[in-house]
Each structure stands twice: as structure tokens, then as C-alpha cells.
Amino acid sequence: MSIRTKPILDLIADKESGGDYGILVGGESIPLDKMTVREVLALQKAMAKMPERYKSTAVGKYQIKESTLLSLLYVPIKKNKDGTIEYAKDENGELIERNPTDFNLDTKFDAKAQEFAGKALLDRRMKAANQTAQDLGMPLEVAQALELSKEWASLPDPRTDKSFYDGDGVNSAHHTTQSVYDSLNVVQARPGRPTE
């Protein structure tokens, strides 16, 4: 993890997992760091079949859900109306991996892999914020906070100061919008809070 991304990733992990690499949604702890990504996906499939025990499939320091973990492995091409995602395939019908050398099914889901995943998700949301700012006519910093709130429910939607998923009966924001702005300002080496 780079020094510049550390403040925002630490903020995220603080309330998502308490910084625990082995935590499942709801607080159960298992040795995820001894499992491969393939084994974690199998665990998440099992978790999805036990909604009375697990409210989602989120695991690890950054509480990564099964669908999100798959999106880190493969190249998504289309989101279907039922919410499922189609992934790109090669000429042999095999799924195309995003980063086969650094993050694949056989990668141990250890601290290094989880930091890689957290950083990749952060980068993805920061890039998406450029389009969000343009589409919604908002300052870039507000769009960045909004995009991050879509990825991590513990971060507030800057428009409401509540979780983007508030009202689902599961999620709520555990940080202030100001703390998100402060962390983003450190990451991007800019002074002060944006004006809305």
C-alpha cells in the first residue's frame, strides 16, 4: 500500500473490519489468509446460501463481496437486468483474467492480496468519480466520496451523510463525510474540504 492511499484505506478498514484480514461479515473470524481466492469464492457461495447467518458475502479487511471479488479477477462486459454480470471470454470460451500474475484464483487471500484488492477497488472508484462528477455536475471531491460510499457501506454518501445503502436493514455509515474528505485530501495532497 502506498503512503498516499494509506489514510483512506485505513479509514475504510477501520469500520468495515477493524483491520482484520480474517473477518467475515457479522464478525466471525477465520484464517482467510491461509485460503486461496478460489477457496474464498467457494466460501462466499456457501455464505450466500445461509442468509440467516450471513447478511452478505463480504469478507476480509475491506469486506469484499463475492461479486466484487469476481470483478477483480475477470473482465466484466455487461450487467444483466437480474443483477448478474457477464465476463469477457477468450476464443476458447475461457474467462479473461484481469491480472493473472498478481491476483488470480490460486493467489493466497493473505494481507498482500487483500491490500492489492483494496487498492484496486479504490483506484476503480476514483476513476469512476471523474464521470460521476461530470454526469451529476458536482465537484470531483464530492463525486469521489460518493463513489467510495457505493463500494464501502461504512462510508457516507456525501449528499445525505448516510450510507449509500441506508434503509436496507443491514448497512449504515460509520464515518463522517468530513473524515472522508480529510482522507481524500491527504491522498491527493490537497488542502481543505471541498465547497459544495
Side-chain angles (χ1 to χ4, degrees), residues 6-69:
K6 187 173 182 349
I8 191 70
L9 289 173
D10 285 350
L11 183 78
I12 292 163
D14 177 50
K15 300 298 183 191
E16 291 288 336
S17 66
D20 186 345
Y21 291 104
I23 201 162
L24 307 182
V25 67
E28 183 180 342
S29 194
I30 67 169
L32 289 169
D33 61 330
K34 306 288 187 231
M35 300 170 72
T36 64
V37 171
R38 182 187 321 272
E39 292 167 330
V40 170
L41 286 167
L43 169 67
Q44 289 174 310
K45 284 194 186 315
M47 290 170 69
K49 294 177 183 176
M50 295 184 276
E52 67 287 344
R53 183 172 174 186
Y54 302 108
K55 297 194 185 309
S56 81
T57 60
V59 301
K61 182 176 180 179
Y62 298 106
Q63 290 294 280
I64 298 172
K65 297 188 313 183
E66 178 188 19
S67 58
T68 305
L69 189 54

Short mmCIF file of all heavy atoms in Angstrom, two decimals, residues 6-69:
data_model
loop_
_atom_site.label_atom_id
_atom_site.label_comp_id
_atom_site.label_asym_id
_atom_site.label_seq_id
_atom_site.Cartn_x
_atom_site.Cartn_y
_atom_site.Cartn_z
N LYS A 6 -2.80 5.10 1.99
CA LYS A 6 -2.96 4.54 3.32
C LYS A 6 -4.06 5.23 4.15
O LYS A 6 -4.88 4.55 4.77
CB LYS A 6 -1.63 4.55 4.06
CG LYS A 6 -1.66 3.83 5.40
CD LYS A 6 -0.26 3.75 5.99
CE LYS A 6 -0.17 3.02 7.29
NZ LYS A 6 -1.32 2.65 8.01
N PRO A 7 -4.15 6.58 4.18
CA PRO A 7 -5.18 7.21 5.01
C PRO A 7 -6.61 6.79 4.67
O PRO A 7 -7.40 6.50 5.56
CB PRO A 7 -4.97 8.71 4.77
CG PRO A 7 -3.54 8.83 4.37
CD PRO A 7 -3.26 7.57 3.57
N ILE A 8 -6.94 6.75 3.39
CA ILE A 8 -8.32 6.40 3.03
C ILE A 8 -8.56 4.91 3.21
O ILE A 8 -9.62 4.50 3.68
CB ILE A 8 -8.68 6.89 1.60
CG1 ILE A 8 -10.19 6.77 1.35
CG2 ILE A 8 -7.91 6.18 0.52
CD1 ILE A 8 -11.06 7.73 2.12
N LEU A 9 -7.58 4.06 2.89
CA LEU A 9 -7.76 2.62 3.09
C LEU A 9 -7.84 2.28 4.58
O LEU A 9 -8.62 1.41 4.98
CB LEU A 9 -6.66 1.82 2.39
CG LEU A 9 -6.75 1.82 0.86
CD1 LEU A 9 -5.52 1.16 0.25
CD2 LEU A 9 -8.02 1.15 0.38
N ASP A 10 -7.08 2.98 5.40
CA ASP A 10 -7.17 2.78 6.86
C ASP A 10 -8.54 3.20 7.37
O ASP A 10 -9.13 2.53 8.22
CB ASP A 10 -6.09 3.56 7.59
CG ASP A 10 -4.71 2.93 7.48
OD1 ASP A 10 -4.59 1.79 7.00
OD2 ASP A 10 -3.73 3.61 7.88
N LEU A 11 -9.05 4.31 6.86
CA LEU A 11 -10.38 4.78 7.26
C LEU A 11 -11.43 3.73 6.90
O LEU A 11 -12.29 3.40 7.71
CB LEU A 11 -10.70 6.12 6.57
CG LEU A 11 -12.04 6.75 6.94
CD1 LEU A 11 -11.93 7.43 8.31
CD2 LEU A 11 -12.47 7.75 5.88
N ILE A 12 -11.36 3.21 5.69
CA ILE A 12 -12.31 2.20 5.24
C ILE A 12 -12.24 0.96 6.13
O ILE A 12 -13.25 0.48 6.65
CB ILE A 12 -12.03 1.83 3.77
CG1 ILE A 12 -12.36 3.01 2.85
CG2 ILE A 12 -12.80 0.57 3.37
CD1 ILE A 12 -11.75 2.92 1.47
N ALA A 13 -11.04 0.44 6.31
CA ALA A 13 -10.87 -0.80 7.07
C ALA A 13 -11.27 -0.65 8.53
O ALA A 13 -11.74 -1.62 9.15
CB ALA A 13 -9.42 -1.28 6.96
N ASP A 14 -11.11 0.53 9.08
CA ASP A 14 -11.41 0.75 10.49
C ASP A 14 -12.82 0.28 10.85
O ASP A 14 -13.00 -0.46 11.81
CB ASP A 14 -11.24 2.24 10.83
CG ASP A 14 -11.60 2.55 12.27
OD1 ASP A 14 -11.10 1.84 13.18
OD2 ASP A 14 -12.39 3.48 12.48
N LYS A 15 -13.80 0.67 10.09
CA LYS A 15 -15.19 0.31 10.42
C LYS A 15 -15.70 -0.89 9.63
O LYS A 15 -16.64 -1.55 10.04
CB LYS A 15 -16.13 1.51 10.19
CG LYS A 15 -15.79 2.71 11.03
CD LYS A 15 -15.91 2.42 12.52
CE LYS A 15 -15.62 3.70 13.30
NZ LYS A 15 -15.46 3.48 14.71
N GLU A 16 -15.08 -1.19 8.50
CA GLU A 16 -15.51 -2.37 7.74
C GLU A 16 -15.11 -3.65 8.47
O GLU A 16 -15.87 -4.61 8.50
CB GLU A 16 -14.91 -2.36 6.33
CG GLU A 16 -15.46 -1.28 5.42
CD GLU A 16 -16.89 -1.53 4.94
OE1 GLU A 16 -17.33 -2.70 4.92
OE2 GLU A 16 -17.55 -0.55 4.58
N SER A 17 -13.90 -3.67 9.05
CA SER A 17 -13.38 -4.92 9.61
C SER A 17 -12.55 -4.75 10.88
O SER A 17 -12.08 -5.74 11.43
CB SER A 17 -12.49 -5.58 8.57
OG SER A 17 -11.33 -4.77 8.34
N GLY A 18 -12.32 -3.51 11.28
CA GLY A 18 -11.38 -3.28 12.38
C GLY A 18 -9.96 -3.62 11.98
O GLY A 18 -9.09 -3.82 12.83
N GLY A 19 -9.72 -3.70 10.66
CA GLY A 19 -8.38 -4.03 10.15
C GLY A 19 -8.07 -5.51 10.16
O GLY A 19 -6.94 -5.92 9.93
N ASP A 20 -9.07 -6.35 10.39
CA ASP A 20 -8.90 -7.81 10.50
C ASP A 20 -8.97 -8.47 9.11
O ASP A 20 -10.01 -8.43 8.46
CB ASP A 20 -10.00 -8.36 11.41
CG ASP A 20 -9.85 -9.84 11.73
OD1 ASP A 20 -9.08 -10.54 11.05
OD2 ASP A 20 -10.53 -10.29 12.67
N TYR A 21 -7.88 -9.09 8.71
CA TYR A 21 -7.83 -9.77 7.41
C TYR A 21 -8.65 -11.05 7.40
O TYR A 21 -8.95 -11.59 6.34
CB TYR A 21 -6.38 -10.11 7.04
CG TYR A 21 -5.53 -8.90 6.72
CD1 TYR A 21 -4.60 -8.42 7.63
CD2 TYR A 21 -5.66 -8.25 5.51
CE1 TYR A 21 -3.82 -7.32 7.35
CE2 TYR A 21 -4.88 -7.14 5.20
CZ TYR A 21 -3.96 -6.68 6.13
OH TYR A 21 -3.20 -5.59 5.83
N GLY A 22 -9.03 -11.57 8.55
CA GLY A 22 -9.73 -12.85 8.61
C GLY A 22 -11.19 -12.77 8.99
O GLY A 22 -11.80 -13.78 9.33
N ILE A 23 -11.78 -11.59 8.91
CA ILE A 23 -13.14 -11.43 9.40
C ILE A 23 -14.17 -11.63 8.29
O ILE A 23 -13.97 -11.23 7.16
CB ILE A 23 -13.32 -10.06 10.09
CG1 ILE A 23 -14.51 -10.08 11.03
CG2 ILE A 23 -13.38 -8.94 9.08
CD1 ILE A 23 -14.50 -8.97 12.04
N LEU A 24 -15.28 -12.26 8.66
CA LEU A 24 -16.44 -12.39 7.77
C LEU A 24 -17.47 -11.37 8.21
O LEU A 24 -17.46 -10.90 9.35
CB LEU A 24 -17.05 -13.79 7.88
CG LEU A 24 -16.13 -14.99 7.68
CD1 LEU A 24 -16.93 -16.28 7.77
CD2 LEU A 24 -15.39 -14.91 6.36
N VAL A 25 -18.39 -11.03 7.32
CA VAL A 25 -19.47 -10.12 7.68
C VAL A 25 -20.15 -10.67 8.93
O VAL A 25 -20.35 -11.87 9.07
CB VAL A 25 -20.46 -9.94 6.51
CG1 VAL A 25 -21.23 -11.21 6.21
CG2 VAL A 25 -21.41 -8.79 6.76
N GLY A 26 -20.44 -9.79 9.87
CA GLY A 26 -21.06 -10.23 11.11
C GLY A 26 -20.08 -10.48 12.24
O GLY A 26 -20.47 -10.67 13.37
N GLY A 27 -18.78 -10.53 11.93
CA GLY A 27 -17.78 -10.61 12.98
C GLY A 27 -17.09 -11.94 13.18
O GLY A 27 -16.13 -12.03 13.94
N GLU A 28 -17.56 -13.00 12.53
CA GLU A 28 -16.88 -14.29 12.65
C GLU A 28 -15.49 -14.19 12.04
O GLU A 28 -15.31 -13.58 10.99
CB GLU A 28 -17.70 -15.36 11.92
CG GLU A 28 -17.16 -16.76 12.03
CD GLU A 28 -18.01 -17.78 11.29
OE1 GLU A 28 -19.18 -17.48 10.97
OE2 GLU A 28 -17.50 -18.87 11.03
N SER A 29 -14.51 -14.80 12.69
CA SER A 29 -13.13 -14.73 12.20
C SER A 29 -12.65 -16.13 11.82
O SER A 29 -12.83 -17.08 12.57
CB SER A 29 -12.24 -14.13 13.28
OG SER A 29 -11.00 -13.76 12.74
N ILE A 30 -12.07 -16.23 10.63
CA ILE A 30 -11.48 -17.48 10.15
C ILE A 30 -10.15 -17.16 9.47
O ILE A 30 -9.91 -16.01 9.11
CB ILE A 30 -12.42 -18.25 9.19
CG1 ILE A 30 -12.63 -17.49 7.88
CG2 ILE A 30 -13.76 -18.54 9.85
CD1 ILE A 30 -13.30 -18.31 6.81
N PRO A 31 -9.29 -18.14 9.25
CA PRO A 31 -7.99 -17.86 8.63
C PRO A 31 -8.07 -17.69 7.10
O PRO A 31 -7.59 -18.51 6.33
CB PRO A 31 -7.15 -19.08 9.02
CG PRO A 31 -8.14 -20.18 9.19
CD PRO A 31 -9.39 -19.53 9.71
N LEU A 32 -8.69 -16.59 6.67
CA LEU A 32 -8.80 -16.30 5.24
C LEU A 32 -7.43 -16.21 4.59
O LEU A 32 -7.26 -16.54 3.41
CB LEU A 32 -9.55 -14.98 5.01
CG LEU A 32 -11.04 -14.98 5.30
CD1 LEU A 32 -11.57 -13.55 5.27
CD2 LEU A 32 -11.79 -15.86 4.32
N ASP A 33 -6.42 -15.78 5.35
CA ASP A 33 -5.07 -15.61 4.81
C ASP A 33 -4.42 -16.93 4.44
O ASP A 33 -3.42 -16.96 3.72
CB ASP A 33 -4.19 -14.84 5.78
CG ASP A 33 -4.01 -15.54 7.11
OD1 ASP A 33 -4.92 -16.28 7.55
OD2 ASP A 33 -2.95 -15.35 7.72
N LYS A 34 -4.99 -18.04 4.86
CA LYS A 34 -4.48 -19.37 4.51
C LYS A 34 -5.21 -19.96 3.30
O LYS A 34 -4.84 -21.00 2.79
CB LYS A 34 -4.63 -20.34 5.69
CG LYS A 34 -4.02 -19.85 6.98
CD LYS A 34 -2.52 -19.89 6.94
CE LYS A 34 -1.95 -19.54 8.31
NZ LYS A 34 -0.96 -18.51 8.26
N MET A 35 -6.26 -19.26 2.87
CA MET A 35 -7.09 -19.74 1.76
C MET A 35 -6.67 -19.08 0.45
O MET A 35 -6.18 -17.96 0.45
CB MET A 35 -8.56 -19.43 2.05
CG MET A 35 -9.09 -20.08 3.31
SD MET A 35 -10.74 -19.47 3.79
CE MET A 35 -11.75 -20.24 2.54
N THR A 36 -6.91 -19.79 -0.66
CA THR A 36 -6.72 -19.18 -1.97
C THR A 36 -7.97 -18.38 -2.32
O THR A 36 -9.03 -18.56 -1.70
CB THR A 36 -6.49 -20.25 -3.06
OG1 THR A 36 -7.69 -21.05 -3.16
CG2 THR A 36 -5.28 -21.11 -2.76
N VAL A 37 -7.86 -17.53 -3.32
CA VAL A 37 -9.01 -16.78 -3.79
C VAL A 37 -10.10 -17.76 -4.24
O VAL A 37 -11.29 -17.53 -3.97
CB VAL A 37 -8.61 -15.81 -4.92
CG1 VAL A 37 -9.83 -15.19 -5.58
CG2 VAL A 37 -7.67 -14.73 -4.38
N ARG A 38 -9.73 -18.86 -4.85
CA ARG A 38 -10.70 -19.88 -5.28
C ARG A 38 -11.48 -20.41 -4.06
O ARG A 38 -12.70 -20.55 -4.10
CB ARG A 38 -9.97 -21.03 -5.96
CG ARG A 38 -10.84 -22.13 -6.49
CD ARG A 38 -10.02 -23.33 -7.01
NE ARG A 38 -8.83 -22.98 -7.72
CZ ARG A 38 -8.75 -22.73 -9.03
NH1 ARG A 38 -9.82 -22.80 -9.78
NH2 ARG A 38 -7.59 -22.43 -9.59
N GLU A 39 -10.77 -20.68 -2.97
CA GLU A 39 -11.41 -21.18 -1.75
C GLU A 39 -12.31 -20.11 -1.11
O GLU A 39 -13.37 -20.41 -0.58
CB GLU A 39 -10.36 -21.67 -0.76
CG GLU A 39 -9.64 -22.91 -1.23
CD GLU A 39 -8.39 -23.23 -0.42
OE1 GLU A 39 -7.72 -22.30 0.10
OE2 GLU A 39 -8.05 -24.43 -0.33
N VAL A 40 -11.87 -18.86 -1.18
CA VAL A 40 -12.68 -17.76 -0.65
C VAL A 40 -13.97 -17.64 -1.45
O VAL A 40 -15.06 -17.47 -0.86
CB VAL A 40 -11.89 -16.43 -0.64
CG1 VAL A 40 -12.80 -15.25 -0.31
CG2 VAL A 40 -10.74 -16.50 0.36
N LEU A 41 -13.89 -17.75 -2.76
CA LEU A 41 -15.10 -17.70 -3.58
C LEU A 41 -16.06 -18.84 -3.25
O LEU A 41 -17.28 -18.65 -3.18
CB LEU A 41 -14.75 -17.72 -5.07
CG LEU A 41 -14.17 -16.42 -5.62
CD1 LEU A 41 -13.56 -16.64 -6.99
CD2 LEU A 41 -15.25 -15.33 -5.68
N ALA A 42 -15.53 -20.03 -3.00
CA ALA A 42 -16.36 -21.17 -2.60
C ALA A 42 -17.03 -20.89 -1.25
O ALA A 42 -18.22 -21.18 -1.06
CB ALA A 42 -15.53 -22.45 -2.55
N LEU A 43 -16.28 -20.31 -0.33
CA LEU A 43 -16.83 -19.92 0.97
C LEU A 43 -17.95 -18.91 0.77
O LEU A 43 -19.02 -19.01 1.39
CB LEU A 43 -15.72 -19.32 1.86
CG LEU A 43 -16.18 -18.63 3.13
CD1 LEU A 43 -16.78 -19.63 4.11
CD2 LEU A 43 -15.02 -17.87 3.77
N GLN A 44 -17.72 -17.93 -0.08
CA GLN A 44 -18.73 -16.89 -0.31
C GLN A 44 -19.99 -17.48 -0.93
O GLN A 44 -21.10 -17.05 -0.59
CB GLN A 44 -18.15 -15.77 -1.17
CG GLN A 44 -17.13 -14.94 -0.42
CD GLN A 44 -16.45 -13.91 -1.29
OE1 GLN A 44 -15.96 -14.22 -2.38
NE2 GLN A 44 -16.41 -12.67 -0.80
N LYS A 45 -19.85 -18.44 -1.82
CA LYS A 45 -21.03 -19.12 -2.39
C LYS A 45 -21.82 -19.79 -1.28
O LYS A 45 -23.06 -19.74 -1.25
CB LYS A 45 -20.62 -20.12 -3.45
CG LYS A 45 -20.23 -19.48 -4.76
CD LYS A 45 -20.17 -20.51 -5.87
CE LYS A 45 -19.64 -19.93 -7.15
NZ LYS A 45 -20.17 -18.65 -7.54
N ALA A 46 -21.11 -20.44 -0.35
CA ALA A 46 -21.77 -21.09 0.79
C ALA A 46 -22.44 -20.06 1.69
O ALA A 46 -23.56 -20.28 2.18
CB ALA A 46 -20.76 -21.93 1.57
N MET A 47 -21.78 -18.93 1.91
CA MET A 47 -22.35 -17.87 2.74
C MET A 47 -23.65 -17.34 2.14
O MET A 47 -24.61 -17.06 2.87
CB MET A 47 -21.35 -16.72 2.90
CG MET A 47 -20.14 -17.03 3.76
SD MET A 47 -18.84 -15.76 3.67
CE MET A 47 -19.65 -14.38 4.51
N ALA A 48 -23.69 -17.23 0.82
CA ALA A 48 -24.87 -16.72 0.14
C ALA A 48 -26.08 -17.64 0.35
O ALA A 48 -27.22 -17.18 0.31
CB ALA A 48 -24.59 -16.56 -1.35
N LYS A 49 -25.82 -18.90 0.61
CA LYS A 49 -26.90 -19.87 0.84
C LYS A 49 -27.36 -19.90 2.29
O LYS A 49 -28.26 -20.66 2.64
CB LYS A 49 -26.45 -21.26 0.41
CG LYS A 49 -26.22 -21.37 -1.09
CD LYS A 49 -25.70 -22.73 -1.47
CE LYS A 49 -25.41 -22.76 -2.97
NZ LYS A 49 -24.82 -24.01 -3.38
N MET A 50 -26.75 -19.06 3.14
CA MET A 50 -27.10 -19.01 4.56
C MET A 50 -27.44 -17.58 4.99
O MET A 50 -26.77 -16.99 5.84
CB MET A 50 -25.95 -19.55 5.41
CG MET A 50 -25.65 -21.01 5.18
SD MET A 50 -24.36 -21.62 6.30
CE MET A 50 -22.88 -21.13 5.41
N PRO A 51 -28.49 -16.98 4.39
CA PRO A 51 -28.80 -15.58 4.69
C PRO A 51 -29.20 -15.34 6.15
O PRO A 51 -29.07 -14.22 6.64
CB PRO A 51 -29.94 -15.25 3.74
CG PRO A 51 -30.55 -16.56 3.40
CD PRO A 51 -29.42 -17.55 3.44
N GLU A 52 -29.65 -16.37 6.84
CA GLU A 52 -29.99 -16.21 8.25
C GLU A 52 -28.74 -16.04 9.11
O GLU A 52 -28.78 -15.45 10.18
CB GLU A 52 -30.83 -17.40 8.76
CG GLU A 52 -30.10 -18.73 8.82
CD GLU A 52 -29.80 -19.42 7.48
OE1 GLU A 52 -30.40 -19.05 6.45
OE2 GLU A 52 -28.95 -20.33 7.47
N ARG A 53 -27.60 -16.52 8.60
CA ARG A 53 -26.33 -16.41 9.33
C ARG A 53 -25.46 -15.26 8.82
O ARG A 53 -24.79 -14.59 9.59
CB ARG A 53 -25.57 -17.73 9.22
CG ARG A 53 -24.28 -17.75 10.00
CD ARG A 53 -23.68 -19.13 9.99
NE ARG A 53 -22.36 -19.14 10.63
CZ ARG A 53 -21.58 -20.20 10.65
NH1 ARG A 53 -21.96 -21.33 10.10
NH2 ARG A 53 -20.40 -20.11 11.21
N TYR A 54 -25.46 -15.08 7.50
CA TYR A 54 -24.63 -14.05 6.87
C TYR A 54 -25.51 -13.09 6.08
O TYR A 54 -26.22 -13.50 5.17
CB TYR A 54 -23.60 -14.68 5.93
CG TYR A 54 -22.69 -15.67 6.61
CD1 TYR A 54 -22.83 -17.04 6.38
CD2 TYR A 54 -21.70 -15.25 7.48
CE1 TYR A 54 -21.99 -17.96 7.00
CE2 TYR A 54 -20.86 -16.15 8.11
CZ TYR A 54 -21.01 -17.51 7.87
OH TYR A 54 -20.19 -18.41 8.49
N LYS A 55 -25.43 -11.82 6.39
CA LYS A 55 -26.25 -10.82 5.71
C LYS A 55 -25.72 -10.46 4.33
O LYS A 55 -26.40 -9.83 3.54
CB LYS A 55 -26.37 -9.57 6.58
CG LYS A 55 -27.07 -9.86 7.90
CD LYS A 55 -27.49 -8.61 8.59
CE LYS A 55 -28.06 -8.82 9.95
NZ LYS A 55 -29.11 -9.76 10.10
N SER A 56 -24.48 -10.87 4.04
CA SER A 56 -23.90 -10.70 2.70
C SER A 56 -22.74 -11.68 2.58
O SER A 56 -22.54 -12.52 3.46
CB SER A 56 -23.42 -9.26 2.50
OG SER A 56 -22.15 -9.04 3.09
N THR A 57 -21.99 -11.55 1.51
CA THR A 57 -20.83 -12.42 1.29
C THR A 57 -19.52 -11.69 1.54
O THR A 57 -18.46 -12.13 1.11
CB THR A 57 -20.84 -12.98 -0.15
OG1 THR A 57 -20.79 -11.88 -1.07
CG2 THR A 57 -22.07 -13.83 -0.41
N ALA A 58 -19.58 -10.57 2.26
CA ALA A 58 -18.40 -9.73 2.49
C ALA A 58 -17.39 -10.41 3.42
O ALA A 58 -17.75 -10.96 4.45
CB ALA A 58 -18.82 -8.39 3.07
N VAL A 59 -16.12 -10.36 3.00
CA VAL A 59 -15.04 -10.98 3.78
C VAL A 59 -13.79 -10.12 3.77
O VAL A 59 -13.56 -9.32 2.87
CB VAL A 59 -14.68 -12.39 3.23
CG1 VAL A 59 -15.87 -13.33 3.25
CG2 VAL A 59 -14.09 -12.31 1.83
N GLY A 60 -12.97 -10.30 4.80
CA GLY A 60 -11.64 -9.70 4.83
C GLY A 60 -11.61 -8.26 5.29
O GLY A 60 -12.61 -7.67 5.67
N LYS A 61 -10.41 -7.73 5.27
CA LYS A 61 -10.15 -6.38 5.76
C LYS A 61 -11.03 -5.33 5.10
O LYS A 61 -11.50 -4.39 5.74
CB LYS A 61 -8.68 -6.02 5.56
CG LYS A 61 -8.28 -4.66 6.09
CD LYS A 61 -6.80 -4.40 5.96
CE LYS A 61 -6.41 -3.03 6.49
NZ LYS A 61 -4.97 -2.80 6.37
N TYR A 62 -11.27 -5.48 3.79
CA TYR A 62 -12.06 -4.49 3.06
C TYR A 62 -13.48 -4.98 2.77
O TYR A 62 -14.19 -4.38 1.97
CB TYR A 62 -11.33 -4.08 1.77
CG TYR A 62 -10.01 -3.43 2.10
CD1 TYR A 62 -8.81 -4.09 1.90
CD2 TYR A 62 -9.97 -2.17 2.69
CE1 TYR A 62 -7.60 -3.51 2.25
CE2 TYR A 62 -8.77 -1.58 3.05
CZ TYR A 62 -7.59 -2.26 2.82
OH TYR A 62 -6.39 -1.67 3.18
N GLN A 63 -13.89 -6.07 3.45
CA GLN A 63 -15.24 -6.61 3.32
C GLN A 63 -15.67 -6.70 1.86
O GLN A 63 -16.63 -6.08 1.41
CB GLN A 63 -16.23 -5.80 4.16
CG GLN A 63 -16.03 -6.00 5.66
CD GLN A 63 -16.35 -7.42 6.10
OE1 GLN A 63 -17.50 -7.76 6.27
NE2 GLN A 63 -15.33 -8.27 6.27
N ILE A 64 -14.93 -7.49 1.11
CA ILE A 64 -15.16 -7.66 -0.32
C ILE A 64 -16.20 -8.75 -0.55
O ILE A 64 -16.04 -9.88 -0.11
CB ILE A 64 -13.84 -7.99 -1.03
CG1 ILE A 64 -12.85 -6.83 -0.84
CG2 ILE A 64 -14.07 -8.28 -2.51
CD1 ILE A 64 -11.45 -7.11 -1.33
N LYS A 65 -17.26 -8.38 -1.26
CA LYS A 65 -18.34 -9.33 -1.58
C LYS A 65 -17.92 -10.22 -2.75
O LYS A 65 -17.01 -9.90 -3.51
CB LYS A 65 -19.62 -8.58 -1.93
CG LYS A 65 -20.15 -7.74 -0.78
CD LYS A 65 -21.52 -7.15 -1.05
CE LYS A 65 -21.67 -6.50 -2.39
NZ LYS A 65 -22.97 -5.87 -2.59
N GLU A 66 -18.64 -11.33 -2.89
CA GLU A 66 -18.33 -12.30 -3.95
C GLU A 66 -18.34 -11.64 -5.33
O GLU A 66 -17.40 -11.83 -6.12
CB GLU A 66 -19.34 -13.45 -3.92
CG GLU A 66 -19.13 -14.46 -5.03
CD GLU A 66 -20.24 -15.49 -5.11
OE1 GLU A 66 -21.34 -15.25 -4.59
OE2 GLU A 66 -20.00 -16.54 -5.74
N SER A 67 -19.37 -10.87 -5.65
CA SER A 67 -19.45 -10.24 -6.97
C SER A 67 -18.28 -9.29 -7.20
O SER A 67 -17.75 -9.19 -8.31
CB SER A 67 -20.78 -9.51 -7.14
OG SER A 67 -20.94 -8.53 -6.13
N THR A 68 -17.87 -8.60 -6.16
CA THR A 68 -16.74 -7.67 -6.27
C THR A 68 -15.43 -8.44 -6.45
O THR A 68 -14.59 -8.03 -7.26
CB THR A 68 -16.67 -6.77 -5.03
OG1 THR A 68 -17.93 -6.11 -4.86
CG2 THR A 68 -15.56 -5.75 -5.14
N LEU A 69 -15.27 -9.52 -5.73
CA LEU A 69 -14.06 -10.34 -5.87
C LEU A 69 -13.96 -10.89 -7.29
O LEU A 69 -12.90 -10.86 -7.91
CB LEU A 69 -14.06 -11.48 -4.84
CG LEU A 69 -12.79 -12.30 -4.71
CD1 LEU A 69 -11.56 -11.44 -4.45
CD2 LEU A 69 -12.96 -13.33 -3.59
#
